[in-house]
Amino acid sequence: MPAVGHRIRQFFGALRPHVDAEDRADAYRYLTPAEQAVFESMMLRDQEHGIIVFERVRDATSAPDPQLFAAALLHDCGKGRVGLWQRVVYVLAGAPLRARLASEHGAAWRQGFWRLLHHPRLGADAVAATGADPAVVRMIREQDSPEPDARLALLQAADDA
């Protein structure tokens, strides 16, 4: 049941996303100018989530890890523009339904589901195009890996918290 409460809080938080200037400046210390442009292209709710994940990772590490911090900030950049209703349906739907709703070249609403489904690869490709550190790209690409290394496990735990 805790997952239900988490999802309800997540939904209401998504209605009014906010990133203050201090949090943005703190995040930008770990992003190159090209990575900052990717961050700025993200929907505000994904920026806010990225900063929350970054803060959780930072609090869980004993020393700064710029690569891990950048991956935390950018891990959802592949989602692109998707409506809140699509995010809700995506979370509630099982894997078979997600796959049926998603279409790379279908109607715009189906493309949104496709991006949600494939966002780790899409995000990794977008970040790689900036010339980002290969470790950052790898962590974004493998964010859903069932066998994470220690750094990726930290990212996954912070994302799931």
Side-chain angles (χ1 to χ4, degrees):
M1 218 42 171
V4 173
H6 166 73
R7 291 299 186 186
I8 290 170
R9 286 188 302 279
Q10 190 177 37
F11 172 79
F12 284 107
L15 294 176
R16 290 189 164 172
H18 174 74
V19 175
D20 66 40
E22 185 178 322
D23 287 339
R24 188 176 304 277
D26 191 31
Y28 278 11
R29 295 181 336 159
Y30 299 100
L31 299 175
T32 66
E35 292 167 345
Q36 290 174 19
V38 170
F39 186 82
E40 285 299 318
S41 75
M42 295 165 58
M43 293 187 75
L44 188 57
R45 72 176 57 93
D46 292 326
Q47 291 178 16
E48 179 183 50
H49 173 69
I51 287 174
I52 290 167
V53 172
F54 154 68
E55 290 170 344
R56 289 175 183 155
V57 167
R58 185 185 58 198
D59 293 347
T61 56
S62 58
D65 187 337
Q67 296 164 329
L68 179 58
F69 294 171
L73 289 161
L74 298 171
H75 75 279
D76 280 343
C77 70
K79 289 182 176 180
R81 301 275 174 215
V82 290
L84 184 56
W85 74 270
Q86 290 169 298
R87 292 168 188 260
V88 170
V89 170
Y90 185 84
V91 167
L92 297 176
L97 181 56
R98 289 175 183 167
R100 280 187 289 181
L101 293 171
S103 175
E104 181 178 9
H105 303 293
W109 67 269
R110 296 187 74 196
Q111 290 177 33
F113 284 111
W114 187 85
R115 286 191 308 277
L116 290 170
L117 189 61
H118 298 283
H119 81 272
R121 177 179 55 83
L122 297 169
D125 291 349
V127 172
T130 70
D133 187 295
V136 174
V137 174
R138 181 193 62 78
M139 285 186 272
I140 293 170
R141 186 178 312 280
E142 297 176 7
Q143 64 185 274
D144 294 331
S145 173
E147 298 179 15
D149 61 24
R151 292 164 91 195
L152 194 52
L154 273 174
L155 177 59
Q156 289 175 345
D159 192 23
D160 293 340

